Amino acid sequence: MKYYLIVGEASGDLHASRLMRSLKNVDEFAEFRFFGGDLMAAEGGTRVKHYKELAYMGFVPVLMHLGTIFSNMKRCKEDIVKWKPDVVILVDYPGFNLNIAKFLKKKTNIPAYYYISPKIWAEWRIRSIKRDIAELFSILPFEVPFFEKKHRYPIHYVGNPTAEEVNEFRSEYHQNFVEFCEENNLDRHRPIIALLAGSRLQEIKDNLPAMIEVAERFEDYQMVLAGAPSIEDSYYEKFLKGTPVKMVRNKTYPLLSHSTAALVTSGTATLETALFEVPQVVCYETPLPYLVRFAFKHVMSCKYISLVNLIADKEVVQEMFADRFQVDAIADQLYRILPGKEGRERMLSEYREVRERLGNQVAPDEAAAIMLDLLVKRREMLVRLAKERAEAEAKAAAEAAERARLKALAEAEAAKKKAEQQAEAARRRAEEEAERARRKAEEARRLADEEAERARRAEEQLNESQQEELK
């Protein structure tokens, strides 16, 4: 099969690369073409564009790069149509991917599969998903009742790849705290508070300054930032300069393995932090905070923003967003989950419930098997439909030919009958003409006989007159 994948950020690159690996295991003829990152490129196939050229977040950055975004969409659509894949697999990144799905549904016969669904608390997206997405593969258990019961849209829950990735990492990672600190020039004598400020420029700009301000209040701890692979050091430097915060690159999982607590933006990082059993405070700044809080309470149907709370369906971690995004309040919540505090043990206990809810499926393997099965069935269906269509067309052609033959026979019979009728009419006309000619001839003969008779009598009379004169 030919698979076209589209991702827009680092986490999508990771999940898509693992899905590609699983697809290769079940489909030996798998071909890949994608908008993605280095991890996907390592699995093979052809990269059309790097996701770093696509990732814009926030109103102003999106507005400033609107031309680039539209250009990338146009390029993507043209490339898909030209390559003619069996399926397009969309990985998160809804602003871009739902537009592509709409195009595929309207202009092509190529199905769109969504691996890692868009954030479902944006309910306005449901209509687009139901209309344009052929199959949706969920990695979050709470999405199943949302889609299937509330919106009557069947989906596939395939397990959570983050859980599998964390389990795999923890089983293979054996570096101790001291070794980690020495490797990264950290203080081996102070515990770590991890800062996970997101993977997009706007997220970092909005959240990191407040995180640093909170962290600086806890002098007995060292603050370590997990640098996102898509963000340059020079961008981080603007926020870290003059602060005690250190940064590690491409080591989020090792960092969480050795962290005592964490400040985390909303997103997959909240779930990763929970799976590493690190108590956390979720921090997310929003514009118009009081309006956002009002909308969240009275307009949106979703109760939480962090994956941990959404999966648990209760408040396991504190969500400091909108009007609650305040340095003092965040610091207070962080204090409550440090060692020896009551909130820490409660959170760790509820983390275990979250892990149980995720299940034990290996998400990329499960998704790959289902995808291939669906595509094989779809291909078989298309072949069957093509065969049925060909048979129907052949039958229609045969019926048309038979109708033409019968019509030709009928026309020939009609022509024969007409010819016979015309011949008979001609024969009758000829006979009538002959009869008229005969009668005319007889009349002419009769007139001639009468004329001859008159001539004979006139001659006789003449002879008689002459004889009398002679006498």
Side-chain angles (χ1 to χ4, degrees):
M1 298 287 180
K2 295 170 68 174
Y3 304 88
Y4 201 108
L5 298 95
I6 305 171
V7 310
E9 56 191 357
S11 61
D13 183 36
L14 173 63
H15 295 315
S17 68
R18 288 175 175 263
L19 177 62
M20 290 167 69
R21 189 181 310 161
S22 297
L23 285 168
K24 288 190 293 185
N25 290 336
V26 296
D27 181 1
E28 62 178 314
F29 301 107
E31 298 179 57
F32 300 107
R33 192 172 178 87
F34 54 89
F35 276 46
D38 298 334
L39 295 175
M40 295 172 71
E43 294 298 328
T46 301
R47 182 170 66 199
V48 182
K49 270 189 177 292
H50 200 288
Y51 69 80
K52 291 181 181 180
E53 300 178 58
L54 309 177
Y56 300 106
M57 182 180 179
F59 179 76
V60 174
V62 168
L63 191 62
M64 291 177 62
H65 296 90
L66 209 54
T68 302
I69 293 171
F70 285 140
S71 175
N72 286 334
M73 282 185 179
K74 184 174 183 291
R75 169 78 184 281
C76 185
K77 292 170 184 176
E78 291 174 346
D79 195 58
I80 290 170
V81 171
K82 184 177 179 180
W83 198 54
K84 296 181 178 64
D86 292 288
V87 65
V88 174
I89 301 174
L90 311 170
V91 183
D92 203 355
Y93 197 45
F96 189 94
N97 280 336
L98 286 177
N99 182 282
I100 298 298
K102 182 178 180 180
F103 166 79
L104 293 174
K105 182 69 174 182
K106 188 175 181 180
K107 300 292 186 179
T108 77
N109 194 35
I110 303 168
Y113 289 1
Y114 223 124
Y115 180 61
I116 306 181
S117 132
K119 302 298 183 291
I120 61 173
W121 47 83
E123 291 207 36
W124 60 268
R125 289 174 174 157
I126 296 299
R127 186 184 302 171
S128 296
I129 291 171
K130 292 176 70 174
R131 181 190 65 218
D132 301 328
I133 302 301
E135 303 288 342
L136 190 145
F137 299 82
S138 169
I139 62 170
L140 298 169
F142 62 84
E143 292 181 335
V144 176
F146 178 85
F147 279 108
E148 296 191 343
K149 292 183 180 179
K150 185 174 182 179
H151 294 284
R152 298 180 181 179
Y153 178 71
I155 68 172
H156 309 275
Y157 177 67
V158 294
N160 190 276
T162 302
E164 189 260 333
E165 290 154 13
V166 170
N167 287 343
E168 182 179 314
F169 175 85
R170 295 185 77 177
S171 68
E172 298 174 355
Y173 183 70
H174 304 294
Q175 192 177 43
N176 62 38
F177 180 78
V178 173
E179 292 170 341
F180 175 75
C181 289
E182 290 177 348
E183 180 181 271
N184 295 285
N185 298 315
L186 303 176
D187 186 346
R188 58 188 291 183
H189 301 293
R190 287 193 298 164
I192 294 172
I193 293 178
L195 307 181
L196 279 65
S199 60
R200 300 183 180 97
L201 297 177
Q202 193 65 34
E203 280 182 326
I204 295 165
K205 179 183 177 183
D206 290 343
N207 297 292
L208 184 55
M211 287 181 164
I212 294 173
E213 190 175 345
V214 170
E216 286 178 330
R217 299 185 181 190
F218 296 83
E219 296 180 353
D220 292 337
Y221 292 82
Q222 56 184 325
M223 312 304 159
V224 183
L225 171 67
S230 60
I231 307 300
E232 301 293 336
D233 287 347
S234 58
Y235 188 76
Y236 283 117
E237 185 61 27
K238 294 186 293 186
F239 305 102
L240 301 183
K241 189 175 182 179
T243 75
V245 178
K246 299 290 185 67
M247 182 174 70
V248 295
R249 276 283 192 184
N250 301 315
K251 294 181 180 179
T252 300
Y253 282 8
L255 173 60
L256 288 172
S257 297
H258 300 294
S259 295
T260 299
L263 297 177
V264 189
T265 58
S266 178
T268 306
T270 62
L271 180 58
E272 292 173 325
T273 303
L275 292 172
F276 275 99
E277 301 177 80
V278 180
Q280 64 184 296
V281 179
V282 175
C283 314
Y284 204 86
E285 185 181 38
T286 64
L288 305 172
Y290 291 99
L291 181 60
V292 170
R293 177 61 63 183
F294 177 84
F296 199 76
K297 285 184 176 181
H298 302 290
V299 180
M300 300 176 70
S301 61
C302 182
K303 293 186 289 186
Y304 307 107
I305 65 168
S306 69
L307 291 181
V308 177
N309 291 346
L310 286 165
I311 293 168
D313 196 27
K314 63 181 179 180
E315 191 173 58
V316 175
V317 301
Q318 289 295 315
E319 299 178 340
M320 312 304 287
F321 75 102
D323 58 323
R324 296 183 66 191
F325 188 85
Q326 299 173 12
V327 171
D328 289 343
I330 295 171
D332 179 61
Q333 292 300 328
L334 178 58
Y335 176 78
R336 293 168 184 259
I337 59 173
L338 293 178
K341 306 304 176 184
E342 182 180 348
R344 183 179 185 86
E345 293 308 314
R346 177 191 62 79
M347 190 176 293
L348 290 173
S349 174
E350 291 175 336
Y351 276 174
R352 287 187 281 276
E353 295 179 26
V354 170
R355 180 64 188 87
E356 289 176 4
R357 290 197 175 199
L358 292 175
N360 296 312
Q361 299 107 307
V362 178
D365 290 351
E366 187 85 1
I370 295 172
M371 286 181 183
L372 180 62
D373 182 61
L374 288 169
L375 290 172
V376 168
K377 288 178 179 177
R378 181 175 185 272
R379 180 173 285 183
E380 290 173 349
M381 179 193 71
L382 291 175
V383 169
R384 186 181 70 253
L385 290 176
K387 182 179 178 182
E388 290 174 356
R389 186 165 57 249
E391 290 174 349
E393 289 173 353
K395 182 179 179 182
E399 290 174 350
E402 179 63 14
R403 285 195 301 271
R405 185 184 70 82
L406 293 175
K407 182 180 179 182
L409 287 174
E411 289 175 349
E413 185 64 24
K416 179 182 177 183
K417 187 174 182 180
K418 184 178 180 181
E420 289 175 347
Q421 291 172 342
Q422 290 174 339
E424 178 63 19
R427 182 185 66 76
R428 285 199 299 269
R429 286 196 302 272
E431 288 178 348
E432 290 172 355
E433 285 291 325
E435 180 62 18
R436 284 195 295 272
R438 182 183 67 76
R439 289 176 181 176
K440 186 177 181 181
E442 287 179 351
E443 180 66 16
R445 186 170 58 251
R446 183 182 66 77
L447 293 174
D449 288 345
E450 289 177 354
E451 185 67 27
E453 180 63 22
R454 282 194 299 271
R456 184 183 65 74
R457 289 177 179 175
E459 184 178 359
E460 286 179 352
Q461 290 175 356
L462 179 62
N463 290 332
E464 287 177 356
S465 296
Q466 288 177 348
Q467 288 176 0
E468 286 179 358
E469 287 178 358
L470 291 175
K471 289 178 179 181

